[in-house]
Amino acid sequence: MAERGSYVQVQHGGQYGAGQQQHGRGQMGEQMKGMLQEKAPSASQALTVATLFPLGGLLLVLSGVALAGTVVGLAVATPVFLLFSPVLVPAALTIGMAVTGFLASGALGLGGLSSLTVLANTARQAFQRTPDYVEEARQRMADAAAAAGHKTQQAGHAIQSRAEETRAGHTAGAGAGAGTRASS
């Protein structure tokens, strides 16, 4: 309740806030003047408004004249439509169906053409990427062949060295073995 009392004193000036409120109004007025001076339109903005405002008004008047002309033309043409309705209604339906058919045909043709264009672009991008993939595959194959050749060469050297060791072992063992057989 004490909070509400202080709020009322501030709102109505209270006994302590009357002088401060007058001083606050002076500051607020100065702030408003400062904001108004800061927000003044530039010359180009003023020129734009001065040019576009009459143009907008002219276009609004022209749209009103067009609406009025349409209403008057429809009022004048209605009796003619009623007199010629046995001819005009089927003709209007035929023309409407023809226009609808042409528009539908054009829309479907554009849809098909755009689909084919997307498909062609996708295929073109895929074929442009293919040489890169083929080149990468060739490089991998060459690397794999080189690695296999290196491994084969290492295996051949290993086999050859074992064969030489075995031959050297048999030669030394054969000489010792021959002497042992001879003595037996």
Side-chain angles (χ1 to χ4, degrees):
M1 197 63 161
E3 291 176 11
R4 186 169 182 233
S6 63
Y7 177 73
V8 171
Q9 283 182 351
V10 170
Q11 287 294 321
H12 297 292
Q15 60 184 345
Y16 298 109
Q20 292 175 351
Q21 189 174 11
Q22 292 295 329
H23 181 67
R25 283 186 187 160
Q27 286 180 346
M28 174 102 68
E30 292 298 321
Q31 289 175 351
M32 290 298 288
K33 285 181 186 177
M35 285 193 328
L36 289 176
Q37 289 173 357
E38 290 175 10
K39 299 290 181 175
S42 65
S44 64
Q45 289 173 335
L47 184 61
T48 303
V49 169
T51 303
L52 292 180
F53 188 73
L55 182 63
L58 176 68
L59 291 174
L60 187 62
V61 167
L62 287 176
S63 68
V65 169
L67 178 64
T70 303
V71 170
V72 169
L74 190 59
V76 170
T78 300
V80 176
F81 284 151
L82 289 175
L83 289 175
F84 294 111
S85 66
V87 175
L88 291 178
V89 170
L93 287 176
T94 303
I95 291 172
M97 290 179 130
V99 168
T100 302
F102 283 125
L103 290 176
S105 172
L108 292 173
L110 284 175
L113 187 64
S114 65
S115 297
L116 290 175
T117 302
V118 167
L119 182 65
N121 286 338
T122 303
R124 186 178 304 129
Q125 288 175 355
F127 286 130
Q128 287 176 353
R129 290 183 195 159
T130 301
D132 293 340
Y133 290 130
V134 170
E135 187 60 37
E136 287 177 19
R138 285 182 187 162
Q139 185 64 35
R140 288 181 192 162
M141 292 288 282
D143 291 345
H150 185 67
K151 291 267 187 188
T152 305
Q153 192 176 25
Q154 285 178 346
H157 286 303
I159 291 171
Q160 187 177 10
S161 65
R162 284 185 189 167
E164 289 176 4
E165 287 175 9
T166 305
R167 196 177 308 143
H170 279 291
T171 308
T180 316
R181 282 189 190 158
S183 59
S184 326

